[in-house]
Amino acid sequence: MLSLAILVIVLAVLMLVRMPVAFAMGIAGTAGLAIQIGTRPALAVLERVFIDTTASFILVAIPLFILMAELLTAGQVTRRAILACQAWVGHVRGGLAVATVGASVLLAALIGSSTASTAAMATSAYPEMRRHKYNDRLATAVVSVGGTLAVVVPPSIVLVVYGVLTETSIGKLFIAGIVPGLMTALGISTVIKIVSHTTDYAPRGEPFRLGHALRASRHVVPMVLLIVAVIGVIYGGIASPSEAAAFGVMGALVLGLAQRSLRLASLAPSVSTAVRATVMIVTIIACSHIFANYLSFTRVTQDLLSAIEGSGLPAYAILSMMVLVLLVMGMFMDQLAILSLAMPLAFPAAMALDFDPVWFGIVVTKTVEIGLITPPLGLNAYVAAGQSGVRLGEVFRGLTPFIIMELVVLTLLIAFPQITLWLPGLMLGRG
Amino acid sequence: MPRAEAMLRRVEDLLHALGCTALVVVAVLINADIISRVVGLRPLEMQFELTELYLMPSLATLSLARVFRDGGHLALEVDTPSLLGPLWPVVRRLVLAASAAFFLTVAYVSGRHAVEAFAKGSIEFGVIDWPLGWAYLPVPVGTGLLAVRLLVELVKRGAPSALATNTGGDINEI
Amino acid sequence: TDLRLGDFQSTTHIVSVNGTQKWMKDVEAATEGAVTFTHFPSEQGAKADALLDAVANGILDVALIQPFYTSEKLPLWSIVGLPGFYDTADRGTEALQAMIDEGATRDELLEAGVVPIFAVALPPYQVLSKAERMGALDAWTNKNIRTSGAAQALIARSLGGAGVSMPGPEVYTGVERGRLDAVLFPLPSVPGYNLQEVTQHISTNGSFGGSLLMLVMNKDVFEGLPEDEQKVLLELGAETARHAAKVQDDAQAKLADEWAAAGIDIYTFSDAELDTLNEAMGAVRQDWLDRIGGRNKDAAPTMERYTSLSAN
Ligand code: NA
Ligand code: NA
């Protein structure tokens, strides 16, 4: 146990001196393995861990989702969706912000990457809101928080990674994310309305014109068609969720080219961005396997489990402790790093407490996703700030009411598992 | 030194281009498979193995060094540099040295694994015989080049303020 | 001696309970605590396809392996995946136990750095289908069949269908949504994936390939044990293998009864149907002989021996 404590401190120090999270986990994990089982076996772990991690079909969803988001933005598809939503709700105060949430939901139904979604919205929705004299705080906050929808509304990279790490059905996780995702979107819109009526952050709406709204709606048709096509190939039995991501990439490409808004020249940078992001993510997953392997040889999972079983604490008290730890981790760490660091411990514990693996996956995803909009490390806020040029502090200030709303939604999801589980139960039956 | 750096960059870009090609091939293959199913042709039975054994490892590891050069490996955003003051350049070099040692080790042991597979002619017995040496090769190549990149950063004169990593602002995360 | 035992199954799996865990308990009791185990189930010690290397390299001392996952190191053992050999886990296990005791199949394991302790056969794969029984070759034509591993993909192909590789967790949805027409599966594993909920017809006497689990030990660690302890490990291993096989055969029979009562069409192939299917699948055996035999002179003698060991 002493060596484990030292290793955890080493890991923390390495991360504090800005060693990339993946490298830090790999180095600390290898050192731990060498202490625990010997140097030669530790090297044998290194010999295979990268090939075993990367040779995985299910992981292809990651580059494909990111590529899809890149193509949709490059092809102006997201910007048109915002304009269409605005034509319908733009007449209320804060209407354009609500329209951005609507477009974020549409985008979320296509892509599974929160940061990709935020980036897409920051380059398309933020300029629109700025043009309509929205306060920067509200505009960037809506873009950042709207981006988080992408990992709860299926498809979702975080849910794919959770499914891979815990061997939970990815199909079920996807369906389970729908209601919590829509609930979050409703929550965001409510906060926008409250902020709009209590501050001068949002301008008065423009008069509603039915003809204009109908005309603008044409522009959202291609995106809806794409969503229907992607969902259709999954539930029509033509492709598995990971394969459907590839289908969506082709759809986004065809759409952009057909609308003449995508130039072939922007293809190469899109592919390059997707590959770079994948390399970063997969390196984190591979190195976290090294660390998780070390953890399992320390038997800390079993010790912790028996401590929990012996503690006599009610299951929900233990769950609350876990969620709190994940929230704190979310302040400082990236969501995939948290998942891969925490799930080897938290998942078996949750299963021992008889929680549903699908529900637990949604609760965990929702929890780590809040970390994307909290300081000091809040990736979505960083991306929104980076793309808009608004100061980071302003973005975080604007996000405060949304963070409170997120915590309320999380509490509801924990208190009422049926919110998450009734839809998968309805569509897929029991088990 | 500038010539070595230029050469390293060229190799990094070449491997990155290979990784990008792998992604394009994955997308094309899966779509070809889906389309052939929809129109009632035989599915491409080799799509799964080709993707899993060769294309995923390539696209996930060949660009490791290029991603580091671009500051794409996620690190914590803590203001350690100003906290450590004059000590920071030393700490930064230690961090680079430890990382380089780690990836050199990974490259060496996984490279040995690949060479062994080539020497024995190891195959995965599938609908066709898949040579495993080629499947194992991208990992030592990608991690090896990353180790080289880390060493080059280590001996570079003058420390950049951060560790050539960023934590946001770029759209290529998550 | 405390030994690290790695395992890819969860502790609730039928072979884990009646095989791996039973063996550990029996050994600890028989040696009166001279040999004990620390168990790393559910891939905690190493990933399923890395377990053999993990034992050979000393990451683990003992592991339950699935030899097909490492067919590049254990090519001869891939013969067990071929169709049309043994018909029950019990009979299959008798053959496999003989094959770990001596011959080229044992040498292959020693070569890989491990000593076999026991090998247990799974009941042969059956076909679970949605629309119709699969007795006639017509039923297989151009159907999408979920298969796992090379031999099974070839089985699907030899019968006129197409083998579809799909990750385990996605199979349920695949069948339900019609991406898959049928699935090849050992029946005791079916409830773990709830496939009985989405299929209508299940065969019980087919032999669409076999499968096995094998407990192996690091060679140096095994040879370092006193001879009487070695003997205990092996004797209890043989006993455990037989027990685990019988439990599986019983479980299969019980499941078939339950499913039949639940209204699922549980059926047996007629002798004529079996002959037709086996004849078509003969191509898979020949393919194995050509490809493995082309690289390994022991392939043909191994097939001869396996044929006689598993014959009815
Ligand atoms: Na999504
Ligand atoms: Na955060």
Side-chain angles (χ1 to χ4, degrees), chain A residues 248-317:
Chain A
V249 165
M250 184 181 68
L253 185 64
V254 169
L255 216 64
L257 292 177
Q259 296 187 337
R260 294 168 194 225
S261 45
L262 183 70
R263 287 172 312 116
L264 280 173
S266 53
L267 278 184
S270 298
V271 172
S272 171
T273 304
V275 168
R276 282 158 53 201
T278 306
V279 168
M280 187 272 291
I281 293 169
V282 171
T283 311
I284 290 184
I285 297 179
C287 289
S288 80
H289 280 160
I290 302 176
F291 197 78
N293 204 206
Y294 161 63
L295 278 184
S296 67
F297 280 118
T298 64
R299 310 278 295 166
V300 66
T301 315
Q302 284 79 354
D303 293 347
L304 204 71
L305 279 177
S306 42
I308 285 174
E309 275 161 10
S311 74
L313 281 173
Y316 272 88

Side-chain angles (χ1 to χ4, degrees), chain C residues 249-307:
Chain C
D249 285 333
D250 293 349
Q252 165 156 340
K254 191 160 158 275
L255 284 170
D257 289 347
E258 279 173 23
W259 294 334
I264 299 173
D265 174 32
I266 305 295
Y267 65 101
T268 53
F269 297 114
S270 69
D271 287 346
E273 285 172 333
L274 277 179
D275 285 347
T276 314
L277 293 171
N278 282 334
E279 198 193 320
M281 293 189 290
V284 183
R285 297 192 194 197
Q286 190 54 48
D287 180 86
W288 188 88
L289 270 181
D290 292 346
R291 287 161 72 191
I292 304 290
R295 313 161 60 93
N296 190 324
K297 63 176 175 42
D298 293 319
T302 297
M303 180 167 285
E304 226 166 273
R305 181 162 179 239
Y306 183 47
T307 307

Side-chain angles (χ1 to χ4, degrees), chain C residues 14-296:
Chain C
I14 181 168
V15 174
S16 178
V17 174
N18 298 287
T20 319
Q21 292 177 65
K22 173 183 150 53
W23 179 78
M24 286 192 289
K25 246 180 280 156
D26 292 351
V27 167
E28 286 181 359
T31 61
E32 289 168 340
V35 178
T36 56
F37 297 94
T38 308
H39 189 197
F40 297 97
S42 308
E43 301 192 310
Q44 286 175 26
K47 293 271 158 217
D49 54 4
L51 279 165
L52 177 67
D53 276 359
V55 172
N57 290 322
I59 299 172
L60 296 163
D61 301 311
V62 193
L64 186 78
I65 63 166
Q66 193 337 342
F68 302 168
Y69 292 158
T70 46
S71 62
E72 80 278 7
K73 289 221 166 65
L74 306 174
L76 290 177
W77 282 96
S78 65
I79 196 170
V80 182
L82 298 182
F85 283 96
Y86 66 89
D87 55 357
T88 63
D90 190 46
R91 196 181 293 275
T93 300
E94 288 303 322
L96 300 186
Q97 279 291 118
M99 282 157 70
I100 65 169
D101 275 347
E102 57 180 10
T105 40
R106 177 178 174 86
D107 297 343
E108 194 175 78
L109 293 161
L110 298 177
E111 181 87 357
V114 300
V115 175
I117 305 290
F118 68 74
V120 55
L122 306 189
Y125 279 68
Q126 300 301 326
V127 59
L128 294 80
S129 49
K130 268 191 106 159
E132 56 182 328
R133 291 187 177 193
M134 305 294 280
L137 283 181
D138 281 358
W140 293 79
T141 308
N142 286 331
K143 292 293 161 54
N144 288 313
I145 317 290
R146 194 270 180 169
T147 53
S148 65
Q152 286 195 4
L154 294 167
I155 289 172
R157 178 182 270 197
S158 71
L159 294 166
V164 177
S165 304
M166 189 182 281
E170 288 186 358
V171 173
Y172 180 97
T173 324
V175 179
E176 193 196 27
R177 302 290 161 186
R179 163 82 181 87
L180 298 169
D181 300 302
V183 177
L184 299 182
F185 237 72
L187 295 189
S189 308
V190 166
Y193 293 85
N194 280 319
L195 296 180
Q196 78 280 5
E197 289 178 2
V198 287
T199 48
Q200 309 308 325
H201 309 273
I202 301 179
S203 72
T204 53
N205 67 335
S207 186
F208 300 98
S211 186
L212 79 159
L213 296 162
M214 191 190 285
L215 197 79
V216 297
M217 194 161 170
N218 180 289
K219 211 165 138 210
D220 298 336
V221 173
F222 183 81
E223 282 164 4
L225 293 175
E227 236 165 80
D228 56 323
E229 286 179 10
Q230 293 181 358
K231 212 168 138 235
V232 169
L233 299 191
L234 294 176
E235 279 173 4
L236 290 174
E239 194 185 307
T240 306
R242 242 172 278 130
H243 173 74
K246 190 171 174 319
V247 170
Q248 292 183 90
D249 285 333
D250 293 349
Q252 165 156 340
K254 191 160 158 275
L255 284 170
D257 289 347
E258 279 173 23
W259 294 334
I264 299 173
D265 174 32
I266 305 295
Y267 65 101
T268 53
F269 297 114
S270 69
D271 287 346
E273 285 172 333
L274 277 179
D275 285 347
T276 314
L277 293 171
N278 282 334
E279 198 193 320
M281 293 189 290
V284 183
R285 297 192 194 197
Q286 190 54 48
D287 180 86
W288 188 88
L289 270 181
D290 292 346
R291 287 161 72 191
I292 304 290
R295 313 161 60 93
N296 190 324

Side-chain angles (χ1 to χ4, degrees), chain A residues 48-56 59 282 285-287 289:
Chain A
R48 300 198 45 139
V49 68
F50 276 86
I51 187 69
D52 285 348
T53 306
T54 56
S56 158
L59 283 183
V282 171
I285 297 179
C287 289
H289 280 160

